[in-house]
């Protein structure tokens, strides 16, 4: 389960296939150094998107993939 206090790097290490969801939400610098230290919530704030929405989308994707 992904939480909004996880870093972008941690999320990508859980499943690299979450990258398109992050791209879709406007987070295009997944490889930048900040992504290794910034939480999903912090990144969402910087990009002006809802951290809860991104978290829900990623967790729904991971749940569907696990079935």
């Amino acid at each position: 389960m992904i939480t909004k206090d996880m870093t972008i790097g941690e999320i990508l290490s859980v499943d690299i296939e979450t990258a398109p969801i992050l791209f879709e939400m406007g987070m295009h610098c997944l490889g930048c150094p900040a992504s290794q230290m910034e939480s999903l919530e912090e990144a969402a704030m910087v990009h002006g998107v809802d951290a809860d929405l991104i978290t829900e989308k990623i967790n729904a994707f991971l749940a569907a993939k696990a079935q």
Side-chain angles (χ1 to χ4, degrees):
M1 180 169 166
I2 300 301
T3 63
K4 60 186 176 182
D5 62 331
M6 293 174 74
T7 66
I8 302 297
E10 288 172 329
I11 294 167
L12 293 172
S13 71
V14 168
D15 190 328
I16 193 70
E17 292 181 10
T18 59
I21 298 168
L22 296 167
F23 283 139
E24 174 189 316
M25 301 302 286
M27 297 181 186
H28 299 115
C29 57
L30 301 181
C32 71
S35 74
Q36 299 304 311
M37 298 178 296
E38 232 176 12
S39 71
L40 179 60
E41 187 170 33
E42 292 167 332
M45 186 173 41
V46 168
H47 291 281
V49 294
D50 185 341
D52 292 321
L53 177 62
I54 299 171
T55 304
E56 287 173 24
K57 282 187 169 215
I58 292 172
N59 283 322
F61 167 78
L62 294 173
K65 190 174 172 182
Q67 292 181 358

